[in-house]
Amino acid sequence: MGAAADDAGMVVIGAGQAGLQVAESLRAEGYVGPVTLIGEEPHAPYHRPPLSKAMLCGEAGEDQLTIRGPEALERKGIALVTGARVEAVDRVAQRVSLADGRVLAYRGLAFATGSRARPLPVPGAELEGVLALRTLIDARRIAAALEGAERVVVIGGGFIGLEVAAAARKRGRAVTVLEAADRLLARVAAPPVSAFVADLHAEHGVALELEAAVTAVEGAGGRVSGVRTADGRLHPADLVVAGIGILPNTELAEACGLACDRGIVVDACARTSDPLVVAAGDCTARRAGDGLLRLESVQNAVEQGKSAASALLGKERPFTAAPWFWSDQYDVKLQMVGLSAGHDHVVVRGSVAERRFSVFYFRDGALVAIDSVNRAPDHMLGRKLLDKAVAVTPEQAADEEFALATLVR
Ligand code: FAD
C-alpha cells in the first residue's frame, strides 16, 4: 500500500471521542497491526459533556470523566501518546511529524482533531476572568473561578452557555445570559422550545438579555469587571464565560492539501479526498445532498469514528442515521433528534406546563425532527421514526391518545 514502510500502522490524530472510536473500531474489526492514538491534551480520552453539566455543578469528579484509561488501551494494543501535537502530515511519504521531533509512518491515517471554542471577538476578551469551555483544563478553571465569583455573565445562549448558566445558578451565583439573537437556541430549536428554555432560566433567577450585542469586556487592573453591550449598558461581572460556538480544527488538514470547507470534507463513510486518509467528529463537514452537514455531537463522533475505521480497512459503513443530541439544565433533560432547519409546521405533544412535552417538526408534511423535554420515550421512538422515514401526520403526533409506537412495529 503506497509508500508506507512494511511495519507502518494506523495513526489517529486526536485522542478525543472520535479518535478513540476509530482506534477501538479498528481492533473490533480485526485489524492486528500497530494503532497509535496521538492527543495533544495531557489526558486519556474523556467525556466532554459532563464538563458543562455534572462537573461544573460539583456533582461529578474528574475520575468519572475518563472514557478509556491508558491500561485499557494498552490491553487492546492501542498505543496512546498524550501531550503530543502533530505538526505536519506528509501525504506523499505517508508520515506525520510531532512537535517533539518524532516522526511516524502510516499506512492509514485518521484526522479526529475536533474543534476549539470560537474566540470572543471584542476588546477586553484577554482579561483575567474571561473564560471559554472546551477542555477539562477549561472546566477546572471555570469551576475554580465559580468558587469566588459573585456575578457571572455568560455570553451566548446556546447549549454550553445555558448549561454553564444553570450550573452557576445551582451554585448560588448571580447570572446574566447575553444572547445576540432574539431567542435562545435560535440555531437549533423552534420558538416553543426557545420560549420554554427562557422561562426555565428566568424561573431559576437568570437575568436573560436577548438581542444583546456585546461590544467590549471591561476591566480594572487586568481583571474583568463587566461586559458592555451595544445599548451602552455595563453588565457587572467578576467571571465571564463565552459560549459563542466552535471552530473546527482543520488547519493541519488544510496544510497537507485535504479538501476542507468549514470542516474536513468527508463522505458518509468518513472518507476524505485522499483514499488513505479518513476524518471523524467535530473536525468534519459531511457531504449530504447538495450541501455539507456540520455536526458537533457525541453521536457524530462515535458513528463517524466507526465509519472511519471501516473505511481504513477498505469497507463501507455509511453513517446516515438521524442526528441526535441532549442537554441537561436544572431538572430538565432536553433531547433532540433530526434536523429542524427549514421546518414549516410544528405540533406539541404533551404538556408544556408540566414540563413534559415534545415538539414535532414537519417540512412539506414529513416529520424532520423532534425536541423532547423530559420525555425520553418520545426521543427514543423519534430516532426510529426518523431513521426509518416513517410517515407520521401532525395530527397523530399531537394526539396523546395515538400510540406512535404502533407506527414502527
Ligand atoms: P474532541 O473531543 O474535541 O477531541 C479532539 C482532540 O484532538 C482534542 O483532545 C484535541 O486536543 C486533539 N487535537 C487537535 N489537534 C491535534 C493535533 N494536531 N495533534 C494532536 N492532537 C490534536 N455533545 C453531545 O452530544 N451532547 C452533549 O451534551 C454535549 N455537551 C458538551 C459539553 C461541552 C462542554 C463540550 C465542550 C462539548 C459537548 N458536546 C456534547 C460535544 C461533544 O463533546 C463533541 O462533539 C465531541 O467531543 C467531539 O469529539 P471529537 O473527538 O471530534 O473532538
Side-chain angles (χ1 to χ4, degrees):
M1 196 189 258
D6 285 348
D7 58 351
M10 303 293 190
V11 171
V12 183
I13 311 174
Q17 187 88 55
L20 172 68
Q21 189 64 54
V22 176
E24 294 199 319
S25 291
L26 281 167
R27 287 288 180 249
E29 296 220 18
Y31 176 72
V32 293
V35 176
T36 308
L37 179 59
I38 308 168
E40 191 181 5
E41 292 183 71
H43 329 282
Y46 61 91
H47 295 285
R48 284 184 207 281
L51 299 182
S52 50
K53 304 176 181 73
M55 190 185 158
L56 272 198
C57 299
E59 291 163 4
E62 288 188 15
D63 51 331
Q64 288 158 270
L65 297 181
T66 306
I67 310 177
R68 209 75 71 228
E71 301 78 24
L73 288 172
E74 206 181 314
R75 280 197 295 278
K76 294 187 179 195
I78 295 169
L80 173 67
V81 186
T82 53
R85 178 171 178 77
V86 175
E87 270 199 339
V89 173
D90 181 337
R91 291 194 293 124
V92 177
Q94 290 176 225
R95 280 199 296 255
V96 303
S97 304
L98 276 58
D100 61 12
R102 277 179 284 179
V103 175
L104 266 87
Y106 67 79
R107 74 181 44 244
L109 179 67
F111 277 81
T113 47
S115 58
R116 58 184 181 275
R118 184 186 290 275
L120 194 58
V122 296
E126 70 296 340
L127 286 166
E128 199 185 320
V130 182
L131 299 171
L133 180 50
R134 178 73 202 171
T135 64
L136 172 54
I137 291 173
D138 294 336
R140 280 183 195 154
R141 284 198 191 112
I142 294 174
L146 273 174
E147 288 288 326
E150 281 174 19
R151 286 174 300 193
V152 181
V153 170
V154 174
I155 303 178
F159 287 118
I160 290 185
L162 293 173
E163 289 178 356
V164 170
R169 281 304 298 144
K170 272 191 175 177
R171 298 184 58 168
R173 308 298 173 247
V175 179
T176 301
V177 173
L178 303 175
E179 165 55 50
D182 59 1
R183 60 187 178 89
L184 298 175
L185 300 174
R187 214 162 47 93
V188 290
V193 176
S194 299
F196 170 81
V197 174
D199 288 348
L200 177 72
H201 281 272
E203 265 174 43
H204 282 87
V206 171
L208 186 59
E209 302 268 348
L210 299 173
E211 297 181 90
V214 170
T215 53
V217 181
E218 300 193 0
R223 261 209 70 80
V224 66
S225 59
V227 179
R228 184 76 66 184
T229 42
D231 57 9
R233 282 187 299 156
L234 183 72
H235 305 270
D238 39 25
L239 170 61
V240 172
V241 181
I244 57 166
I246 60 152
L247 297 174
N249 292 326
T250 56
E251 290 78 1
L252 189 62
E254 281 168 43
C256 72
L258 288 178
C260 294
D261 182 359
R262 288 156 293 137
I264 304 170
V265 176
V266 293
D267 66 7
C269 294
R271 294 175 292 210
T272 69
S273 49
D274 178 334
L276 298 183
V277 182
V278 295
D282 279 16
C283 64
T284 66
R286 191 214 310 168
R287 273 191 234 107
D290 296 337
L292 287 168
L293 184 58
R294 273 208 39 76
L295 297 170
E296 302 149 19
S297 68
V298 168
Q299 177 216 19
N300 183 55
V302 168
E303 294 303 323
Q304 265 187 337
K306 291 179 188 171
S307 300
S310 294
L312 286 175
L313 301 175
K315 295 181 252 179
E316 292 200 341
R317 183 194 181 281
F319 164 46
T320 50
W324 53 261
F325 191 84
W326 77 95
S327 176
D328 299 328
Q329 297 166 40
Y330 311 105
D331 56 348
V332 163
K333 182 172 272 300
L334 175 61
Q335 292 167 292
M336 320 182 95
V337 57
L339 295 170
S340 60
H343 68 271
D344 50 32
H345 187 51
V346 300
V347 297
V348 175
R349 185 178 179 92
S351 162
V352 178
E354 288 170 22
R355 292 192 178 168
R356 277 175 45 78
F357 67 96
S358 294
V359 178
F360 286 65
Y361 299 78
F362 294 85
R363 185 170 56 227
D364 299 330
L367 180 67
V368 290
I370 305 171
D371 294 345
S372 301
V373 169
N374 293 334
R375 289 205 24 148
D378 283 358
H379 174 76
M380 298 313 289
L381 188 62
R383 290 193 202 174
K384 290 184 190 156
L385 291 170
L386 288 163
D387 284 345
K388 294 182 179 167
V390 172
V392 184
T393 66
E395 294 72 26
Q396 289 168 334
D399 179 5
E400 284 261 54
E401 302 298 311
F402 181 80
L404 291 168
T406 57
L407 297 175
V408 286
R409 285 207 186 108

